[in-house]
Amino acid sequence: MSRRSGILEFAVLGLLRESPMHGYELRKRLNTSLGVFRAFSYGTLYPCLKTLVANGWLIEEPGNETEAAPLTGRRAKIVYRLTAEGKEHFEQLLSQTGPDAYEDETFAARFAFFGQTSRDVRMRVLEGRRSRLEERLEKMRLSLARTRERLDDYTLELQRHGMESVEREVRWLNELIESERAGRDLKGPASGEPGSRDTTSGASGGLPRPGDDPRPDTPGDTAT
């Protein structure tokens, strides 16, 4: 299974842990709440759902019959529900703290479900991500120092921009780690803690990266 397929399966299980959904709802949530899935299609989602059903982690149920147009012959949408085995599998995935939890391709999805993750696991993932970025930043600085004289102004500016982006994320991670160590959860004012920050987007949360701007659903989408 490819890493991207694994991330998608993880995200689908996490969203369905909140409530059953049909394919269109899932795709919408993946697009708007999890930026890493902005550019993917039903052709990617439905094979993933079929795999999860075959593994016994999801079951298919008929949707509300009133959702189908009675005169068009369209069938009701299929609703996907997480099974007990699926919930257990998702919880096992949540507990993992190895490199796959904080690489570029996976960290956004993991962070989006931090609200369902234990504090000690959150700390290990955040610290792993910070360590990885600090290593990357050091390599970027060394590379820039060696090649500065051979680069034109625009290439230099591009490299500085890349370094600033990494530095910004390291500062953000430092703040999150400090909050975790202090025992503070990142919840909105509704939690009863005035002034507490809300760094999530959507019901399941999203990666609060600078510049995130989830695109709306493409008109004309069809659902099963």
Side-chain angles (χ1 to χ4, degrees):
M1 180 175 61
S2 70
R3 175 175 291 180
R4 184 163 180 82
S5 296
I7 302 167
L8 180 57
E9 290 185 6
F10 171 82
V12 167
L13 292 172
L15 291 175
L16 290 176
R17 188 187 188 190
E18 298 173 5
S19 65
M21 299 182 206
H22 53 67
Y24 175 77
E25 290 174 310
L26 272 170
R27 184 174 182 234
K28 183 177 180 181
R29 291 288 301 280
L30 288 164
N31 280 334
T32 58
S33 297
L34 295 146
V36 70
F37 297 110
R38 285 175 183 167
F40 86 110
S41 66
Y42 285 114
T44 303
L45 175 59
Y46 283 109
C48 171
L49 290 170
K50 289 183 181 300
T51 297
L52 295 176
V53 170
N55 288 340
W57 297 332
L58 302 182
I59 57 173
E60 297 178 334
E61 298 176 339
N64 190 339
E65 293 297 331
T66 60
E67 293 181 354
L71 299 180
T72 62
R74 291 178 56 194
R75 61 187 177 90
K77 299 171 183 176
I78 295 174
V79 172
Y80 296 90
R81 182 184 298 275
L82 195 66
T83 64
E85 292 80 5
K87 182 179 179 181
E88 181 179 354
H89 179 65
F90 178 68
E91 290 173 351
Q92 289 174 351
L93 295 176
L94 277 182
S95 69
Q96 296 178 1
T97 59
D100 280 349
Y102 48 78
E103 296 290 355
D104 290 347
E105 300 89 345
T106 54
F107 179 69
R110 283 302 305 267
F111 188 86
F113 293 99
F114 262 24
Q116 303 180 42
T117 307
S118 64
R119 190 184 301 278
D120 63 320
V121 170
R122 294 197 302 261
M123 279 290 294
R124 289 198 291 271
V125 173
L126 290 172
E127 289 173 342
R129 176 67 177 171
R130 181 178 63 180
S131 177
R132 182 58 49 87
L133 290 181
E134 286 174 341
E135 292 173 3
R136 183 182 303 170
L137 190 58
E138 182 62 22
K139 290 179 181 178
M140 293 172 75
R141 287 170 176 160
L142 291 173
S143 176
L144 183 60
R146 288 196 302 267
T147 61
R148 182 186 298 273
E149 300 302 323
R150 301 195 299 271
L151 301 177
D152 61 45
D153 290 342
Y154 293 101
T155 305
L156 276 172
E157 191 61 30
L158 184 62
Q159 291 206 9
R160 290 194 189 99
H161 174 68
M163 288 177 58
E164 288 172 1
S165 297
V166 177
E167 289 169 344
R168 197 159 49 240
E169 187 170 350
V170 169
R171 289 194 297 270
W172 173 68
L173 289 166
N174 285 334
E175 293 175 2
L176 291 174
I177 291 169
E178 181 182 350
S179 293
E180 293 289 345
R181 285 177 176 162
R184 297 192 300 269
D185 290 328
L186 299 184
K187 295 181 179 179
S191 67
E193 299 179 15
S196 58
R197 294 177 301 165
D198 183 1
T199 59
T200 58
S201 171
S204 70
L207 179 65
R209 283 184 173 178
D212 263 4
D213 182 18
R215 299 182 302 180
D217 293 334
T218 304
D221 279 344
T222 59
T224 299

